[in-house]
């Protein structure tokens, strides 16, 4: 299987699905990450915090955009190595991106056609008409790129169409696993990342410039992936919402569902002390 992620910012791929990517990489699947913006203007913790000091480090506060962007790329490369991303593609668009542009859609379609992924992972589109969110714009651009890549014809474009088999959305703004109360809008699939949670923490620790390393990485995974894990009946999970329906020969019942004991699973999914197991050493 070939997995491709399409996100707005350098750290998004790691925070949203870094554990899932690590699992796929470990079993020999190819993982590609496409990052649309350079990330130089977002989460500028390292630079803003230095300016607040009485005697700031001149090398930090005098950093230009090119310096900041290159630092972010180095952080991303280190994180990608940890979770097993084999191919990094960066468009370096500005972080002020606030609308879907045809030229960017064309570039995304070109990359999809070149990489030919089986599945694509991107952010859940919170609202397709809300142009203030670069995450939403990134996903709408990705979906448009998928459609365009699927319309290629040999006689018109000199290439075959690309059939992406499934699209998985992350960051759906609800934690519930109750389909009734949410009218069917919910995360409908969980991946148990407990075996690789240490790799996700190590990858997040790479993003020191935006304050994601150390205690924040552990807090985010405890609260976010820990809550998804509670819903899934495991210690830590990443949640996904599928774009397309799936066809099965028979009603599917996963191995995890068959093994689950509703009376005792709260004990088994509460066994890992994340901060003790993966301590932060500044």
């Amino acid at each position: 299987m070939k997995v491709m992620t399409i996100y707005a910012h350098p750290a998004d791929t790691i925070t949203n699905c870094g554990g899932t990517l690590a699992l796929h990489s470990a079993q020999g699947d190819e993982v590609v990450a496409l990052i649309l913006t350079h990330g130089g203007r977002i989460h500028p913790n390292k630079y803003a915090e230095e300016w607040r000091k009485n005697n700031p480090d001149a090398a930090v506060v005098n950093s230009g955009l090119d310096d900041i962007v290159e630092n972010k790329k180095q952080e991303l490369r280190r994180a990608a190595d940890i979770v097993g991303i084999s191919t990094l593609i960066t468009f370096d668009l500005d972080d002020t991106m606030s609308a879907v542009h045809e030229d960017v859609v064309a570039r995304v379609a070109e990359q999809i056609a070149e990489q030919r992924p089986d599945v694509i992972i991107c952010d859940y589109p919170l609202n397709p008409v809300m142009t203030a969110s670069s995450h939403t714009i990134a996903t709408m651009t990705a979906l448009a790129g998928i459609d365009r890549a699927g319309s290629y014809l040999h006689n018109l474009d000199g290439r075959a169409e690309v059939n992406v088999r499934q699209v998985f959305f992350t960051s759906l703004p609800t934690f519930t696993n109750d389909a009734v109360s949410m009218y069917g809008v919910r995360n409908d699939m969980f991946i148990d990342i407990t075996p690789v949670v240490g790799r996700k923490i190590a990858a997040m620790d790479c993003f020191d410039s935006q304050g994601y390393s150390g205690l924040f990485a552990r807090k985010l995974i405890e609260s976010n992936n820990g809550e998804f894990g509670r819903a899934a009946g495991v210690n830590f999970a990443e949640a996904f919402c599928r774009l397309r329906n799936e066809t099965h020969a028979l009603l599917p019942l996963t191995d995890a569902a068959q093994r689950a004991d509703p009376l005792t699973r709260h004990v088994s999914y509460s066994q890992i002390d994340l901060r003790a197991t993966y301590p932060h050493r500044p």
Side-chain angles (χ1 to χ4, degrees), residues 204-259:
M204 285 191 63
D205 277 343
C206 294
F207 295 98
D208 187 59
S209 71
Q210 58 189 58
Y212 276 19
S213 59
L215 296 178
F216 176 79
R218 287 145 185 82
K219 175 65 174 180
L220 180 69
I221 292 173
E222 282 175 337
S223 57
N224 193 47
N225 299 125
E227 174 61 11
F228 287 144
R230 185 192 66 80
V234 298
N235 281 274
F236 302 102
E238 288 173 340
F240 299 88
C241 176
R242 287 169 283 198
L243 174 63
R244 298 167 180 157
N245 65 322
E246 294 184 347
T247 301
H248 299 269
L250 298 170
L251 294 174
L253 189 62
T254 66
D255 291 340
Q258 294 183 63
R259 292 194 306 267

Short mmCIF file of all heavy atoms in Angstrom, two decimals, residues 204-259:
data_model
loop_
_atom_site.label_atom_id
_atom_site.label_comp_id
_atom_site.label_asym_id
_atom_site.label_seq_id
_atom_site.Cartn_x
_atom_site.Cartn_y
_atom_site.Cartn_z
N MET A 204 7.25 14.53 17.49
CA MET A 204 6.75 15.83 17.92
C MET A 204 7.82 16.62 18.65
O MET A 204 7.86 17.85 18.57
CB MET A 204 5.51 15.66 18.80
CG MET A 204 4.27 15.28 18.02
SD MET A 204 2.76 15.39 19.02
CE MET A 204 2.73 17.13 19.41
N ASP A 205 8.70 15.93 19.35
CA ASP A 205 9.80 16.61 20.03
C ASP A 205 10.73 17.33 19.06
O ASP A 205 11.51 18.19 19.47
CB ASP A 205 10.61 15.60 20.86
CG ASP A 205 9.99 15.31 22.22
OD1 ASP A 205 9.15 16.10 22.67
OD2 ASP A 205 10.36 14.29 22.83
N CYS A 206 10.65 16.98 17.77
CA CYS A 206 11.50 17.64 16.78
C CYS A 206 11.07 19.08 16.52
O CYS A 206 11.87 19.90 16.10
CB CYS A 206 11.47 16.86 15.46
SG CYS A 206 12.21 15.23 15.54
N PHE A 207 9.78 19.39 16.77
CA PHE A 207 9.26 20.71 16.43
C PHE A 207 9.43 21.68 17.60
O PHE A 207 8.48 22.23 18.15
CB PHE A 207 7.79 20.60 16.02
CG PHE A 207 7.60 19.82 14.75
CD1 PHE A 207 7.24 18.48 14.79
CD2 PHE A 207 7.81 20.42 13.52
CE1 PHE A 207 7.08 17.75 13.62
CE2 PHE A 207 7.66 19.70 12.34
CZ PHE A 207 7.29 18.35 12.39
N ASP A 208 10.69 21.88 17.94
CA ASP A 208 11.02 22.73 19.08
C ASP A 208 10.69 24.19 18.80
O ASP A 208 10.29 24.93 19.70
CB ASP A 208 12.51 22.57 19.41
CG ASP A 208 12.90 23.30 20.67
OD1 ASP A 208 12.34 22.99 21.73
OD2 ASP A 208 13.78 24.18 20.61
N SER A 209 10.84 24.63 17.56
CA SER A 209 10.66 26.05 17.24
C SER A 209 9.24 26.53 17.49
O SER A 209 9.02 27.71 17.74
CB SER A 209 11.04 26.33 15.79
OG SER A 209 10.08 25.78 14.91
N GLN A 210 8.27 25.63 17.43
CA GLN A 210 6.88 26.07 17.63
C GLN A 210 6.30 25.58 18.96
O GLN A 210 5.09 25.59 19.15
CB GLN A 210 6.00 25.65 16.46
CG GLN A 210 5.96 24.19 16.15
CD GLN A 210 5.22 23.93 14.83
OE1 GLN A 210 5.60 24.43 13.79
NE2 GLN A 210 4.15 23.17 14.91
N GLY A 211 7.18 25.17 19.86
CA GLY A 211 6.74 24.82 21.20
C GLY A 211 6.01 23.50 21.30
O GLY A 211 5.30 23.25 22.27
N TYR A 212 6.20 22.61 20.30
CA TYR A 212 5.51 21.32 20.33
C TYR A 212 6.30 20.26 21.09
O TYR A 212 5.76 19.19 21.38
CB TYR A 212 5.27 20.83 18.90
CG TYR A 212 4.03 21.39 18.26
CD1 TYR A 212 3.42 22.54 18.74
CD2 TYR A 212 3.45 20.78 17.15
CE1 TYR A 212 2.29 23.06 18.14
CE2 TYR A 212 2.32 21.30 16.54
CZ TYR A 212 1.74 22.44 17.04
OH TYR A 212 0.63 22.95 16.45
N SER A 213 7.55 20.52 21.36
CA SER A 213 8.38 19.51 21.99
C SER A 213 8.12 19.45 23.49
O SER A 213 7.49 20.33 24.08
CB SER A 213 9.86 19.83 21.74
OG SER A 213 10.18 21.11 22.26
N GLY A 214 8.64 18.39 24.10
CA GLY A 214 8.60 18.29 25.56
C GLY A 214 7.22 18.06 26.13
O GLY A 214 6.49 17.16 25.72
N LEU A 215 6.84 18.89 27.09
CA LEU A 215 5.61 18.67 27.84
C LEU A 215 4.38 18.80 26.96
O LEU A 215 3.39 18.10 27.16
CB LEU A 215 5.53 19.65 29.01
CG LEU A 215 6.62 19.49 30.08
CD1 LEU A 215 6.47 20.54 31.17
CD2 LEU A 215 6.58 18.08 30.68
N PHE A 216 4.41 19.71 25.97
CA PHE A 216 3.24 19.87 25.12
C PHE A 216 2.96 18.61 24.32
O PHE A 216 1.81 18.18 24.17
CB PHE A 216 3.40 21.05 24.16
CG PHE A 216 2.25 21.18 23.20
CD1 PHE A 216 1.06 21.74 23.60
CD2 PHE A 216 2.36 20.70 21.89
CE1 PHE A 216 -0.03 21.84 22.72
CE2 PHE A 216 1.29 20.79 21.02
CZ PHE A 216 0.10 21.37 21.43
N ALA A 217 4.01 17.99 23.78
CA ALA A 217 3.83 16.76 23.01
C ALA A 217 3.14 15.69 23.86
O ALA A 217 2.22 15.01 23.40
CB ALA A 217 5.18 16.25 22.51
N ARG A 218 3.58 15.57 25.10
CA ARG A 218 3.01 14.56 25.98
C ARG A 218 1.58 14.92 26.39
O ARG A 218 0.71 14.06 26.48
CB ARG A 218 3.93 14.38 27.19
CG ARG A 218 5.21 13.63 26.81
CD ARG A 218 6.44 14.10 27.56
NE ARG A 218 7.64 13.42 27.06
CZ ARG A 218 8.30 13.81 25.96
NH1 ARG A 218 7.91 14.87 25.28
NH2 ARG A 218 9.36 13.13 25.56
N LYS A 219 1.32 16.21 26.62
CA LYS A 219 -0.01 16.64 26.97
C LYS A 219 -0.98 16.39 25.82
O LYS A 219 -2.10 15.90 26.01
CB LYS A 219 0.00 18.14 27.32
CG LYS A 219 -1.38 18.73 27.60
CD LYS A 219 -2.03 18.14 28.83
CE LYS A 219 -3.33 18.85 29.17
NZ LYS A 219 -3.99 18.27 30.36
N LEU A 220 -0.56 16.74 24.60
CA LEU A 220 -1.43 16.56 23.44
C LEU A 220 -1.77 15.10 23.23
O LEU A 220 -2.94 14.74 22.99
CB LEU A 220 -0.76 17.12 22.19
CG LEU A 220 -1.58 17.00 20.90
CD1 LEU A 220 -2.78 17.93 20.94
CD2 LEU A 220 -0.73 17.29 19.67
N ILE A 221 -0.79 14.24 23.33
CA ILE A 221 -1.03 12.82 23.10
C ILE A 221 -1.84 12.22 24.24
O ILE A 221 -2.71 11.37 24.01
CB ILE A 221 0.31 12.09 22.87
CG1 ILE A 221 0.90 12.56 21.54
CG2 ILE A 221 0.14 10.58 22.89
CD1 ILE A 221 2.29 12.05 21.25
N GLU A 222 -1.58 12.65 25.45
CA GLU A 222 -2.38 12.16 26.58
C GLU A 222 -3.85 12.53 26.39
O GLU A 222 -4.75 11.70 26.56
CB GLU A 222 -1.88 12.78 27.89
CG GLU A 222 -0.63 12.14 28.45
CD GLU A 222 -0.12 12.89 29.68
OE1 GLU A 222 -0.45 14.09 29.84
OE2 GLU A 222 0.60 12.27 30.48
N SER A 223 -4.11 13.80 26.06
CA SER A 223 -5.49 14.28 25.99
C SER A 223 -6.18 13.89 24.70
O SER A 223 -7.32 13.41 24.71
CB SER A 223 -5.53 15.80 26.16
OG SER A 223 -4.74 16.44 25.17
N ASN A 224 -5.50 14.06 23.56
CA ASN A 224 -6.12 13.82 22.27
C ASN A 224 -6.12 12.34 21.92
O ASN A 224 -7.18 11.72 21.77
CB ASN A 224 -5.38 14.63 21.20
CG ASN A 224 -6.12 14.71 19.90
OD1 ASN A 224 -7.32 14.99 19.87
ND2 ASN A 224 -5.43 14.48 18.80
N ASN A 225 -4.94 11.76 21.79
CA ASN A 225 -4.85 10.35 21.45
C ASN A 225 -5.31 9.46 22.59
O ASN A 225 -5.76 8.33 22.36
CB ASN A 225 -3.44 9.99 21.02
CG ASN A 225 -2.99 10.77 19.80
OD1 ASN A 225 -1.95 11.43 19.83
ND2 ASN A 225 -3.75 10.73 18.73
N GLY A 226 -5.19 9.96 23.82
CA GLY A 226 -5.71 9.20 24.95
C GLY A 226 -7.23 9.13 24.93
O GLY A 226 -7.82 8.08 25.22
N GLU A 227 -7.91 10.23 24.58
CA GLU A 227 -9.36 10.22 24.50
C GLU A 227 -9.84 9.37 23.33
O GLU A 227 -10.82 8.63 23.45
CB GLU A 227 -9.88 11.66 24.36
CG GLU A 227 -11.38 11.78 24.12
CD GLU A 227 -12.24 11.21 25.24
OE1 GLU A 227 -11.70 10.90 26.32
OE2 GLU A 227 -13.46 11.08 25.03
N PHE A 228 -9.14 9.47 22.19
CA PHE A 228 -9.48 8.58 21.07
C PHE A 228 -9.28 7.12 21.49
O PHE A 228 -10.04 6.24 21.10
CB PHE A 228 -8.62 8.90 19.85
CG PHE A 228 -8.99 10.19 19.16
CD1 PHE A 228 -8.02 10.99 18.60
CD2 PHE A 228 -10.31 10.60 19.07
CE1 PHE A 228 -8.35 12.17 17.95
CE2 PHE A 228 -10.66 11.78 18.43
CZ PHE A 228 -9.68 12.57 17.87
N GLY A 229 -8.23 6.87 22.27
CA GLY A 229 -7.98 5.52 22.75
C GLY A 229 -9.10 5.03 23.66
O GLY A 229 -9.50 3.87 23.59
N ARG A 230 -9.60 5.93 24.50
CA ARG A 230 -10.73 5.54 25.38
C ARG A 230 -11.93 5.11 24.54
O ARG A 230 -12.57 4.10 24.82
CB ARG A 230 -11.11 6.71 26.28
CG ARG A 230 -12.20 6.37 27.31
CD ARG A 230 -12.76 7.62 27.98
NE ARG A 230 -13.46 8.45 27.02
CZ ARG A 230 -14.71 8.22 26.60
NH1 ARG A 230 -15.38 7.16 27.05
NH2 ARG A 230 -15.30 9.02 25.73
N ALA A 231 -12.22 5.88 23.49
CA ALA A 231 -13.34 5.52 22.62
C ALA A 231 -13.09 4.20 21.89
O ALA A 231 -14.01 3.43 21.63
CB ALA A 231 -13.60 6.63 21.61
N ALA A 232 -11.80 3.96 21.56
CA ALA A 232 -11.45 2.75 20.81
C ALA A 232 -11.19 1.55 21.72
O ALA A 232 -11.07 0.42 21.22
CB ALA A 232 -10.21 3.02 19.96
N GLY A 233 -11.05 1.78 23.03
CA GLY A 233 -10.76 0.69 23.94
C GLY A 233 -9.30 0.30 24.00
O GLY A 233 -8.97 -0.83 24.36
N VAL A 234 -8.42 1.26 23.64
CA VAL A 234 -6.98 1.01 23.72
C VAL A 234 -6.33 2.20 24.43
O VAL A 234 -6.99 3.18 24.75
CB VAL A 234 -6.37 0.83 22.30
CG1 VAL A 234 -6.99 -0.39 21.62
CG2 VAL A 234 -6.56 2.08 21.46
N ASN A 235 -5.03 2.11 24.67
CA ASN A 235 -4.37 3.20 25.39
C ASN A 235 -4.31 4.49 24.57
O ASN A 235 -4.68 5.56 25.05
CB ASN A 235 -2.96 2.76 25.80
CG ASN A 235 -2.97 1.88 27.04
OD1 ASN A 235 -2.98 2.36 28.16
ND2 ASN A 235 -2.99 0.57 26.82
N PHE A 236 -3.85 4.39 23.32
CA PHE A 236 -3.72 5.58 22.48
C PHE A 236 -4.14 5.24 21.05
O PHE A 236 -3.74 4.20 20.52
CB PHE A 236 -2.27 6.10 22.48
CG PHE A 236 -1.76 6.44 23.86
CD1 PHE A 236 -0.93 5.56 24.53
CD2 PHE A 236 -2.15 7.61 24.49
CE1 PHE A 236 -0.47 5.85 25.81
CE2 PHE A 236 -1.71 7.91 25.77
CZ PHE A 236 -0.87 7.03 26.43
N ALA A 237 -4.92 6.12 20.47
CA ALA A 237 -5.41 5.87 19.11
C ALA A 237 -5.42 7.17 18.32
O ALA A 237 -5.43 8.27 18.88
CB ALA A 237 -6.81 5.27 19.15
N GLU A 238 -5.41 7.03 17.01
CA GLU A 238 -5.67 8.15 16.11
C GLU A 238 -7.00 7.89 15.42
O GLU A 238 -7.32 6.74 15.08
CB GLU A 238 -4.54 8.30 15.09
CG GLU A 238 -3.27 8.84 15.74
CD GLU A 238 -2.06 8.86 14.83
OE1 GLU A 238 -2.04 8.14 13.81
OE2 GLU A 238 -1.10 9.58 15.16
N ALA A 239 -7.79 8.95 15.26
CA ALA A 239 -9.15 8.81 14.76
C ALA A 239 -9.26 9.31 13.32
O ALA A 239 -8.60 10.28 12.94
CB ALA A 239 -10.11 9.59 15.65
N PHE A 240 -10.11 8.65 12.56
CA PHE A 240 -10.31 9.01 11.15
C PHE A 240 -11.79 8.96 10.79
O PHE A 240 -12.57 8.20 11.37
CB PHE A 240 -9.55 8.03 10.24
CG PHE A 240 -8.06 8.03 10.46
CD1 PHE A 240 -7.49 7.19 11.41
CD2 PHE A 240 -7.23 8.87 9.74
CE1 PHE A 240 -6.12 7.17 11.63
CE2 PHE A 240 -5.86 8.86 9.95
CZ PHE A 240 -5.30 8.02 10.89
N CYS A 241 -12.13 9.78 9.82
CA CYS A 241 -13.46 9.78 9.23
C CYS A 241 -13.29 9.49 7.75
O CYS A 241 -12.56 10.20 7.05
CB CYS A 241 -14.14 11.14 9.45
SG CYS A 241 -15.76 11.30 8.68
N ARG A 242 -13.94 8.45 7.25
CA ARG A 242 -13.75 8.04 5.86
C ARG A 242 -14.63 8.85 4.91
O ARG A 242 -15.80 9.09 5.20
CB ARG A 242 -14.05 6.56 5.71
CG ARG A 242 -12.98 5.66 6.32
CD ARG A 242 -13.41 4.21 6.40
NE ARG A 242 -14.33 4.01 7.51
CZ ARG A 242 -14.61 2.82 8.05
NH1 ARG A 242 -14.03 1.74 7.56
NH2 ARG A 242 -15.45 2.71 9.04
N LEU A 243 -14.05 9.25 3.79
CA LEU A 243 -14.81 10.00 2.80
C LEU A 243 -15.79 9.10 2.06
O LEU A 243 -16.93 9.49 1.81
CB LEU A 243 -13.84 10.65 1.79
CG LEU A 243 -14.49 11.36 0.60
CD1 LEU A 243 -15.34 12.54 1.06
CD2 LEU A 243 -13.42 11.82 -0.39
N ARG A 244 -15.35 7.90 1.72
CA ARG A 244 -16.16 7.02 0.88
C ARG A 244 -16.65 5.82 1.67
O ARG A 244 -16.01 5.39 2.63
CB ARG A 244 -15.34 6.55 -0.33
CG ARG A 244 -14.91 7.70 -1.23
CD ARG A 244 -13.87 7.28 -2.22
NE ARG A 244 -13.48 8.40 -3.08
CZ ARG A 244 -12.34 8.49 -3.73
NH1 ARG A 244 -11.45 7.51 -3.62
NH2 ARG A 244 -12.06 9.53 -4.48
N ASN A 245 -17.76 5.29 1.25
CA ASN A 245 -18.26 4.08 1.88
C ASN A 245 -17.36 2.90 1.51
O ASN A 245 -16.55 2.98 0.59
CB ASN A 245 -19.70 3.79 1.45
CG ASN A 245 -19.81 3.48 -0.03
OD1 ASN A 245 -19.11 4.07 -0.84
ND2 ASN A 245 -20.67 2.55 -0.39
N GLU A 246 -17.52 1.81 2.22
CA GLU A 246 -16.74 0.61 1.95
C GLU A 246 -17.68 -0.55 1.67
O GLU A 246 -18.77 -0.63 2.23
CB GLU A 246 -15.84 0.27 3.15
CG GLU A 246 -14.76 1.31 3.40
CD GLU A 246 -13.82 0.90 4.51
OE1 GLU A 246 -14.14 -0.04 5.26
OE2 GLU A 246 -12.74 1.52 4.63
N THR A 247 -17.25 -1.46 0.81
CA THR A 247 -18.05 -2.62 0.45
C THR A 247 -17.40 -3.88 1.01
O THR A 247 -16.20 -4.10 0.83
CB THR A 247 -18.18 -2.74 -1.08
OG1 THR A 247 -18.77 -1.55 -1.59
CG2 THR A 247 -19.05 -3.93 -1.45
N HIS A 248 -18.19 -4.67 1.70
CA HIS A 248 -17.71 -5.91 2.30
C HIS A 248 -18.58 -7.07 1.82
O HIS A 248 -19.77 -6.88 1.51
CB HIS A 248 -17.77 -5.84 3.82
CG HIS A 248 -16.94 -4.75 4.42
ND1 HIS A 248 -15.63 -4.93 4.79
CD2 HIS A 248 -17.23 -3.45 4.70
CE1 HIS A 248 -15.14 -3.80 5.28
NE2 HIS A 248 -16.11 -2.88 5.23
N ALA A 249 -18.00 -8.25 1.79
CA ALA A 249 -18.78 -9.44 1.41
C ALA A 249 -19.78 -9.80 2.50
O ALA A 249 -20.88 -10.27 2.22
CB ALA A 249 -17.83 -10.61 1.14
N LEU A 250 -19.37 -9.58 3.75
CA LEU A 250 -20.22 -9.86 4.91
C LEU A 250 -20.09 -8.70 5.88
O LEU A 250 -19.20 -7.85 5.75
CB LEU A 250 -19.79 -11.16 5.59
CG LEU A 250 -19.90 -12.44 4.75
CD1 LEU A 250 -19.21 -13.59 5.47
CD2 LEU A 250 -21.35 -12.78 4.45
N LEU A 251 -20.96 -8.66 6.87
CA LEU A 251 -20.87 -7.61 7.88
C LEU A 251 -19.52 -7.71 8.58
O LEU A 251 -19.15 -8.77 9.09
CB LEU A 251 -22.00 -7.76 8.89
CG LEU A 251 -23.41 -7.51 8.35
CD1 LEU A 251 -24.44 -7.83 9.43
CD2 LEU A 251 -23.57 -6.07 7.89
N PRO A 252 -18.75 -6.63 8.61
CA PRO A 252 -17.41 -6.70 9.21
C PRO A 252 -17.46 -6.60 10.73
O PRO A 252 -18.21 -5.82 11.30
CB PRO A 252 -16.71 -5.48 8.61
CG PRO A 252 -17.81 -4.49 8.39
CD PRO A 252 -19.03 -5.30 8.02
N LEU A 253 -16.64 -7.42 11.36
CA LEU A 253 -16.43 -7.32 12.81
C LEU A 253 -14.94 -7.47 13.04
O LEU A 253 -14.36 -8.52 12.76
CB LEU A 253 -17.20 -8.42 13.55
CG LEU A 253 -17.23 -8.31 15.08
CD1 LEU A 253 -17.95 -7.03 15.50
CD2 LEU A 253 -17.90 -9.51 15.70
N THR A 254 -14.32 -6.42 13.51
CA THR A 254 -12.87 -6.42 13.62
C THR A 254 -12.38 -7.33 14.73
O THR A 254 -13.13 -7.68 15.66
CB THR A 254 -12.35 -5.00 13.90
OG1 THR A 254 -12.79 -4.59 15.20
CG2 THR A 254 -12.85 -4.02 12.86
N ASP A 255 -11.10 -7.69 14.66
CA ASP A 255 -10.49 -8.49 15.72
C ASP A 255 -10.56 -7.75 17.05
O ASP A 255 -10.79 -8.36 18.10
CB ASP A 255 -9.03 -8.80 15.37
CG ASP A 255 -8.90 -9.75 14.20
OD1 ASP A 255 -9.89 -10.46 13.90
OD2 ASP A 255 -7.83 -9.79 13.58
N ALA A 256 -10.36 -6.44 17.01
CA ALA A 256 -10.41 -5.65 18.24
C ALA A 256 -11.79 -5.71 18.88
O ALA A 256 -11.92 -5.82 20.10
CB ALA A 256 -10.03 -4.20 17.95
N ALA A 257 -12.83 -5.66 18.06
CA ALA A 257 -14.20 -5.72 18.59
C ALA A 257 -14.49 -7.09 19.20
O ALA A 257 -15.17 -7.20 20.23
CB ALA A 257 -15.20 -5.42 17.47
N GLN A 258 -13.96 -8.13 18.60
CA GLN A 258 -14.19 -9.48 19.12
C GLN A 258 -13.44 -9.71 20.43
O GLN A 258 -13.91 -10.45 21.30
CB GLN A 258 -13.78 -10.52 18.08
CG GLN A 258 -14.65 -10.49 16.83
CD GLN A 258 -14.27 -11.57 15.84
OE1 GLN A 258 -14.38 -12.76 16.14
NE2 GLN A 258 -13.82 -11.16 14.66
N ARG A 259 -12.27 -9.08 20.56
CA ARG A 259 -11.49 -9.26 21.78
C ARG A 259 -11.97 -8.39 22.93
O ARG A 259 -11.69 -8.69 24.09
CB ARG A 259 -10.01 -8.93 21.50
CG ARG A 259 -9.30 -9.89 20.57
CD ARG A 259 -7.79 -9.67 20.66
NE ARG A 259 -7.45 -8.27 20.42
CZ ARG A 259 -7.12 -7.77 19.23
NH1 ARG A 259 -7.12 -8.56 18.16
NH2 ARG A 259 -6.80 -6.50 19.08
#
